[in-house]
Amino acid sequence: QVQLKESGGGLVQAGDSLRLSCVASGRTGIITVLGWFRQAPGKDREFVAAITRSTVNTQYADSVRGRFAISKDKTMNTVFLQMTNLRPEDTAVYYCAAKIRGSGDYGLWGQGTQVSVSS
């Protein structure tokens, strides 16, 4: 199995930057896509960004494109989310998620890390 663990959250001011990390452990060779999602209080969880292992394609939600950047290390065992020009509406619990070989869904999730942006 694969385990995902996020880190790097915190409390920042609007306009600041923050970098989240997600470390995958276990059978990481079966991971095909790593992504970031977020859930704000009272709202549904939403997609933020994703990166593929094989093609290194990236995807972003419109709300973060140009401000956030997703990247990974060579092994695909660690994925980063560099967040710049943070806004109060970026406040949420950020989750790392993975798709594994043979599945088109994000079936593996981390426990989340809180990002709070004050105005």
Side-chain angles (χ1 to χ4, degrees):
Q1 193 53 283
V2 177
Q3 295 80 42
L4 304 173
K5 184 170 178 60
E6 306 94 333
S7 63
L11 173 63
V12 296
Q13 293 185 329
D16 285 350
S17 300
L18 206 57
R19 189 175 82 156
L20 305 182
S21 299
C22 172
V23 177
S25 59
R27 296 179 59 204
T28 57
I30 63 174
I31 294 174
T32 57
V33 180
L34 278 169
W36 288 97
F37 289 74
R38 66 186 183 185
Q39 187 167 21
K43 294 188 177 181
D44 293 334
R45 185 168 58 194
E46 64 175 356
F47 170 79
V48 175
I51 188 166
T52 62
R53 171 194 289 275
S54 58
T55 62
V56 202
N57 283 342
T58 57
Q59 288 182 301
Y60 295 96
D62 289 343
S63 59
V64 305
R65 186 174 292 112
R67 299 187 299 122
F68 291 9
I70 189 170
S71 62
K72 67 179 186 65
D73 67 357
K74 290 182 180 180
T75 66
M76 192 70 166
N77 289 346
T78 303
V79 65
F80 306 97
L81 186 67
Q82 180 67 48
M83 305 183 293
T84 62
N85 192 21
L86 282 161
R87 304 167 180 170
E89 54 263 40
D90 295 318
T91 295
V93 177
Y94 283 70
Y95 297 92
C96 179
K99 294 184 183 180
I100 63 174
R101 198 174 300 132
S103 174
D105 299 322
Y106 286 96
L108 299 172
W109 296 84
Q111 84 287 350
T113 185
Q114 176 71 46
V115 173
S116 300
V117 185
S118 64
S119 58

